[in-house]
Amino acid sequence: MKYTPKLSAVLLLEDGKVFYGKAAGKTGTTAGEICFNTGMTGYQEIFTDPSYYGQITVMTNVHIGNYGVNKEEVESDSIKIAGMVCKSFNEFASRKNSDGSIGDYFEKSNIVAIQGVDTRAIVRYIRDKGAMNAIISSEELDLDKLKEKLRKVPSMSGLELSSKVSTISPYFFGNQNAPHKVAVLDLGVKKNILRSLAERGCYLQVFPMKTSFTEMMKWKPDGFMISNGPGDPSVMKEEIKTIYETINSGIPVFGICLGHQLIALASGIPTFKMHKGHRGINHPVKNLLTGKCEITSQNHGFGVMEQEVNKVKNVEVTHINLNDNTIEGIRLKDRKVFSVQYHPEACPGPYDSRYLFDDFIGMITSSIDSTSKPASKKVLKSQA
């Protein structure tokens, strides 16, 4: 890619705060909720994570794009962020096996970004003031005009976004001869969740978010995965009803991120909009069942209300965030159902939490054994 001088660009926050920089990516205007990610690597996985749909992401690592892009390092079929803010936008990839530069990647994907701003100041501002809408433009620098456009951007609170990123049609993933069948309710699923299940002997059918419990049951799955995704879980009334039926089916259920929040809602526990959310690959979480701590990958702006969990007798808190004590995991005491707020599949991030997929497989195996063994004994007795 040939270097060309950059246009001026502006980042305007909902409360009127302004940051000036240079254009990056596609020349244009974009808006959404501004948030920040503290990860030091994995920018392509972050950009393609469906949970970021509708958000402008501030990258705290200084250099973005320095190792280019690679088609194998995506978590969905396209970039999902609404826009990007960074200090240094490196358009010349230094990695031998990169498929191209981040500049070309953003241009082809029509992603507007701003570079050359003080990202530390922006992060400190969001951390203090909280998440809010923002607009980036490299084609219009008139603040009054941008403020008018920004006023029309809907708030993330009360916004349903999973329908924008869920699959349109069901599809299969993995080896059809695998020992276990898992139905995945796609609310914005990351590819590495599917890979993590397939690697552990699961054949998956991925269903659109509007699929009913009855329809998924026609496939006779051994377990259910309720995926991650964007938006406010409290407005997803139809999905909450579906998940209520799912967790009461007696079949093992594992929920991640948005799936965790919806399992909580289906269990009578409300959710809330967080002040600034958790996004990064270095968040400490304590497993209350084992006493062990793990470093986790996170991306969420909503959480489960801690004070309401104790009111539901069959729900137990299994994980907490060690930075702010928010709930990071729950399980249903009387059913084979558990969920976590963070991302055990990582990509990017550490592998500390991948044991949760093994726990899910163990739950499926024990569930199959408990239903098959009594039946076989009964047959043997009758034959005797």
mmCIF file of all heavy atoms in Angstrom, residues 328-351:
data_model
loop_
_atom_site.group_PDB
_atom_site.id
_atom_site.type_symbol
_atom_site.label_atom_id
_atom_site.label_comp_id
_atom_site.label_asym_id
_atom_site.label_seq_id
_atom_site.Cartn_x
_atom_site.Cartn_y
_atom_site.Cartn_z
ATOM 1 N N GLU A 328 -19.300 -13.072 37.564
ATOM 2 C CA GLU A 328 -18.705 -13.564 36.317
ATOM 3 C C GLU A 328 -19.159 -14.979 35.962
ATOM 4 O O GLU A 328 -18.849 -15.464 34.879
ATOM 5 C CB GLU A 328 -17.179 -13.540 36.417
ATOM 6 C CG GLU A 328 -16.581 -12.150 36.526
ATOM 7 C CD GLU A 328 -16.505 -11.414 35.199
ATOM 8 O OE1 GLU A 328 -16.940 -11.988 34.182
ATOM 9 O OE2 GLU A 328 -16.027 -10.272 35.186
ATOM 10 N N GLY A 329 -19.878 -15.638 36.862
ATOM 11 C CA GLY A 329 -20.344 -16.986 36.552
ATOM 12 C C GLY A 329 -21.428 -17.431 37.511
ATOM 13 O O GLY A 329 -21.423 -17.058 38.686
ATOM 14 N N ILE A 330 -22.384 -18.212 37.011
ATOM 15 C CA ILE A 330 -23.441 -18.781 37.847
ATOM 16 C C ILE A 330 -23.699 -20.220 37.420
ATOM 17 O O ILE A 330 -23.312 -20.638 36.315
ATOM 18 C CB ILE A 330 -24.766 -17.994 37.759
ATOM 19 C CG1 ILE A 330 -25.291 -17.967 36.309
ATOM 20 C CG2 ILE A 330 -24.606 -16.595 38.322
ATOM 21 C CD1 ILE A 330 -26.681 -17.357 36.169
ATOM 22 N N ARG A 331 -24.358 -20.986 38.287
ATOM 23 C CA ARG A 331 -24.844 -22.304 37.913
ATOM 24 C C ARG A 331 -26.181 -22.548 38.593
ATOM 25 O O ARG A 331 -26.477 -21.962 39.646
ATOM 26 C CB ARG A 331 -23.855 -23.402 38.279
ATOM 27 C CG ARG A 331 -23.788 -23.751 39.761
ATOM 28 C CD ARG A 331 -22.824 -24.904 40.014
ATOM 29 N NE ARG A 331 -22.819 -25.294 41.421
ATOM 30 C CZ ARG A 331 -23.572 -26.263 41.938
ATOM 31 N NH1 ARG A 331 -24.402 -26.935 41.150
ATOM 32 N NH2 ARG A 331 -23.510 -26.557 43.218
ATOM 33 N N LEU A 332 -26.995 -23.382 37.970
ATOM 34 C CA LEU A 332 -28.267 -23.771 38.556
ATOM 35 C C LEU A 332 -28.048 -25.044 39.355
ATOM 36 O O LEU A 332 -27.574 -26.045 38.815
ATOM 37 C CB LEU A 332 -29.328 -23.974 37.476
ATOM 38 C CG LEU A 332 -30.079 -22.705 37.013
ATOM 39 C CD1 LEU A 332 -29.125 -21.648 36.489
ATOM 40 C CD2 LEU A 332 -31.136 -23.043 35.978
ATOM 41 N N LYS A 333 -28.374 -25.003 40.634
ATOM 42 C CA LYS A 333 -28.078 -26.111 41.535
ATOM 43 C C LYS A 333 -28.861 -27.371 41.195
ATOM 44 O O LYS A 333 -28.376 -28.488 41.432
ATOM 45 C CB LYS A 333 -28.381 -25.708 42.977
ATOM 46 C CG LYS A 333 -27.556 -24.538 43.495
ATOM 47 C CD LYS A 333 -28.002 -24.175 44.907
ATOM 48 C CE LYS A 333 -27.286 -22.956 45.425
ATOM 49 N NZ LYS A 333 -27.752 -22.582 46.785
ATOM 50 N N ASP A 334 -30.058 -27.217 40.669
ATOM 51 C CA ASP A 334 -30.933 -28.363 40.433
ATOM 52 C C ASP A 334 -31.013 -28.780 38.970
ATOM 53 O O ASP A 334 -31.841 -29.598 38.594
ATOM 54 C CB ASP A 334 -32.336 -28.080 40.968
ATOM 55 C CG ASP A 334 -32.928 -26.806 40.371
ATOM 56 O OD1 ASP A 334 -32.194 -26.056 39.680
ATOM 57 O OD2 ASP A 334 -34.127 -26.547 40.597
ATOM 58 N N ARG A 335 -30.168 -28.209 38.133
ATOM 59 C CA ARG A 335 -30.168 -28.546 36.704
ATOM 60 C C ARG A 335 -28.737 -28.528 36.175
ATOM 61 O O ARG A 335 -27.851 -27.964 36.793
ATOM 62 C CB ARG A 335 -31.010 -27.534 35.909
ATOM 63 C CG ARG A 335 -32.487 -27.609 36.231
ATOM 64 C CD ARG A 335 -33.210 -26.352 35.807
ATOM 65 N NE ARG A 335 -34.139 -25.925 36.853
ATOM 66 C CZ ARG A 335 -34.771 -24.773 36.849
ATOM 67 N NH1 ARG A 335 -34.562 -23.914 35.875
ATOM 68 N NH2 ARG A 335 -35.585 -24.456 37.828
ATOM 69 N N LYS A 336 -28.542 -29.090 35.013
ATOM 70 C CA LYS A 336 -27.216 -29.137 34.390
ATOM 71 C C LYS A 336 -27.020 -27.881 33.547
ATOM 72 O O LYS A 336 -26.947 -27.937 32.317
ATOM 73 C CB LYS A 336 -27.082 -30.416 33.560
ATOM 74 C CG LYS A 336 -27.136 -31.701 34.382
ATOM 75 C CD LYS A 336 -27.036 -32.928 33.486
ATOM 76 C CE LYS A 336 -26.958 -34.215 34.303
ATOM 77 N NZ LYS A 336 -28.197 -34.468 35.077
ATOM 78 N N VAL A 337 -26.950 -26.753 34.214
ATOM 79 C CA VAL A 337 -26.866 -25.453 33.538
ATOM 80 C C VAL A 337 -25.827 -24.581 34.233
ATOM 81 O O VAL A 337 -25.853 -24.443 35.461
ATOM 82 C CB VAL A 337 -28.238 -24.734 33.567
ATOM 83 C CG1 VAL A 337 -28.115 -23.361 32.910
ATOM 84 C CG2 VAL A 337 -29.307 -25.574 32.878
ATOM 85 N N PHE A 338 -24.908 -24.005 33.459
ATOM 86 C CA PHE A 338 -23.966 -23.031 34.008
ATOM 87 C C PHE A 338 -23.579 -22.027 32.930
ATOM 88 O O PHE A 338 -23.776 -22.265 31.728
ATOM 89 C CB PHE A 338 -22.729 -23.719 34.595
ATOM 90 C CG PHE A 338 -21.773 -24.290 33.567
ATOM 91 C CD1 PHE A 338 -20.601 -23.629 33.242
ATOM 92 C CD2 PHE A 338 -22.045 -25.502 32.933
ATOM 93 C CE1 PHE A 338 -19.711 -24.161 32.316
ATOM 94 C CE2 PHE A 338 -21.160 -26.048 32.007
ATOM 95 C CZ PHE A 338 -19.986 -25.363 31.696
ATOM 96 N N SER A 339 -23.052 -20.894 33.376
ATOM 97 C CA SER A 339 -22.689 -19.848 32.419
ATOM 98 C C SER A 339 -21.617 -18.940 33.005
ATOM 99 O O SER A 339 -21.458 -18.855 34.223
ATOM 100 C CB SER A 339 -23.922 -19.010 32.054
ATOM 101 O OG SER A 339 -24.450 -18.362 33.206
ATOM 102 N N VAL A 340 -20.880 -18.270 32.114
ATOM 103 C CA VAL A 340 -19.868 -17.301 32.538
ATOM 104 C C VAL A 340 -20.008 -16.029 31.725
ATOM 105 O O VAL A 340 -20.423 -16.058 30.559
ATOM 106 C CB VAL A 340 -18.428 -17.858 32.398
ATOM 107 C CG1 VAL A 340 -18.172 -18.942 33.430
ATOM 108 C CG2 VAL A 340 -18.153 -18.358 30.995
ATOM 109 N N GLN A 341 -19.644 -14.915 32.356
ATOM 110 C CA GLN A 341 -19.745 -13.610 31.722
ATOM 111 C C GLN A 341 -18.583 -13.362 30.759
ATOM 112 O O GLN A 341 -18.712 -12.617 29.795
ATOM 113 C CB GLN A 341 -19.752 -12.529 32.796
ATOM 114 C CG GLN A 341 -19.872 -11.120 32.273
ATOM 115 C CD GLN A 341 -21.164 -10.877 31.525
ATOM 116 O OE1 GLN A 341 -22.200 -10.669 32.115
ATOM 117 N NE2 GLN A 341 -21.111 -10.915 30.205
ATOM 118 N N TYR A 342 -17.465 -14.005 30.997
ATOM 119 C CA TYR A 342 -16.265 -13.764 30.190
ATOM 120 C C TYR A 342 -16.158 -14.772 29.045
ATOM 121 O O TYR A 342 -17.090 -15.530 28.775
ATOM 122 C CB TYR A 342 -15.018 -13.790 31.075
ATOM 123 C CG TYR A 342 -14.867 -15.025 31.934
ATOM 124 C CD1 TYR A 342 -14.077 -16.085 31.533
ATOM 125 C CD2 TYR A 342 -15.516 -15.114 33.183
ATOM 126 C CE1 TYR A 342 -13.924 -17.204 32.327
ATOM 127 C CE2 TYR A 342 -15.360 -16.234 33.981
ATOM 128 C CZ TYR A 342 -14.578 -17.272 33.547
ATOM 129 O OH TYR A 342 -14.432 -18.396 34.324
ATOM 130 N N HIS A 343 -15.010 -14.779 28.347
ATOM 131 C CA HIS A 343 -14.847 -15.601 27.145
ATOM 132 C C HIS A 343 -13.786 -16.691 27.348
ATOM 133 O O HIS A 343 -12.592 -16.449 27.141
ATOM 134 C CB HIS A 343 -14.461 -14.723 25.960
ATOM 135 C CG HIS A 343 -15.597 -13.941 25.399
ATOM 136 N ND1 HIS A 343 -16.389 -14.410 24.374
ATOM 137 C CD2 HIS A 343 -16.110 -12.745 25.761
ATOM 138 C CE1 HIS A 343 -17.324 -13.515 24.100
ATOM 139 N NE2 HIS A 343 -17.180 -12.497 24.942
ATOM 140 N N PRO A 344 -14.189 -17.900 27.715
ATOM 141 C CA PRO A 344 -13.213 -18.979 27.927
ATOM 142 C C PRO A 344 -12.521 -19.426 26.641
ATOM 143 O O PRO A 344 -11.436 -20.012 26.689
ATOM 144 C CB PRO A 344 -14.066 -20.100 28.526
ATOM 145 C CG PRO A 344 -15.450 -19.837 28.048
ATOM 146 C CD PRO A 344 -15.570 -18.341 28.014
ATOM 147 N N GLU A 345 -13.139 -19.163 25.490
ATOM 148 C CA GLU A 345 -12.507 -19.537 24.219
ATOM 149 C C GLU A 345 -11.379 -18.590 23.855
ATOM 150 O O GLU A 345 -10.584 -18.883 22.950
ATOM 151 C CB GLU A 345 -13.557 -19.579 23.106
ATOM 152 C CG GLU A 345 -13.893 -18.254 22.471
ATOM 153 C CD GLU A 345 -14.706 -17.316 23.350
ATOM 154 O OE1 GLU A 345 -15.256 -17.779 24.378
ATOM 155 O OE2 GLU A 345 -14.794 -16.118 23.032
ATOM 156 N N ALA A 346 -11.331 -17.412 24.533
ATOM 157 C CA ALA A 346 -10.305 -16.389 24.293
ATOM 158 C C ALA A 346 -10.289 -15.951 22.821
ATOM 159 O O ALA A 346 -11.336 -15.696 22.256
ATOM 160 C CB ALA A 346 -8.943 -16.878 24.752
ATOM 161 N N CYS A 347 -9.106 -15.860 22.227
ATOM 162 C CA CYS A 347 -8.961 -15.365 20.837
ATOM 163 C C CYS A 347 -9.480 -13.941 20.678
ATOM 164 O O CYS A 347 -10.524 -13.734 20.068
ATOM 165 C CB CYS A 347 -9.641 -16.307 19.847
ATOM 166 S SG CYS A 347 -8.588 -17.626 19.277
ATOM 167 N N PRO A 348 -8.747 -12.945 21.174
ATOM 168 C CA PRO A 348 -7.447 -13.103 21.817
ATOM 169 C C PRO A 348 -7.595 -13.348 23.311
ATOM 170 O O PRO A 348 -8.656 -13.144 23.884
ATOM 171 C CB PRO A 348 -6.786 -11.752 21.565
ATOM 172 C CG PRO A 348 -7.944 -10.786 21.618
ATOM 173 C CD PRO A 348 -9.093 -11.527 20.985
ATOM 174 N N GLY A 349 -6.470 -13.746 23.926
ATOM 175 C CA GLY A 349 -6.453 -13.895 25.373
ATOM 176 C C GLY A 349 -5.844 -15.191 25.845
ATOM 177 O O GLY A 349 -5.562 -16.092 25.053
ATOM 178 N N PRO A 350 -5.647 -15.296 27.150
ATOM 179 C CA PRO A 350 -5.042 -16.495 27.746
ATOM 180 C C PRO A 350 -5.992 -17.675 27.761
ATOM 181 O O PRO A 350 -7.207 -17.510 27.650
ATOM 182 C CB PRO A 350 -4.707 -16.039 29.178
ATOM 183 C CG PRO A 350 -5.704 -14.970 29.458
ATOM 184 C CD PRO A 350 -5.934 -14.260 28.155
ATOM 185 N N TYR A 351 -5.437 -18.873 27.942
ATOM 186 C CA TYR A 351 -6.223 -20.106 27.894
ATOM 187 C C TYR A 351 -6.646 -20.598 29.282
ATOM 188 O O TYR A 351 -7.091 -21.727 29.430
ATOM 189 C CB TYR A 351 -5.425 -21.218 27.206
ATOM 190 C CG TYR A 351 -5.153 -20.983 25.729
ATOM 191 C CD1 TYR A 351 -4.323 -21.847 25.016
ATOM 192 C CD2 TYR A 351 -5.713 -19.913 25.046
ATOM 193 C CE1 TYR A 351 -4.080 -21.653 23.659
ATOM 194 C CE2 TYR A 351 -5.472 -19.710 23.698
ATOM 195 C CZ TYR A 351 -4.660 -20.586 23.008
ATOM 196 O OH TYR A 351 -4.426 -20.385 21.679
#
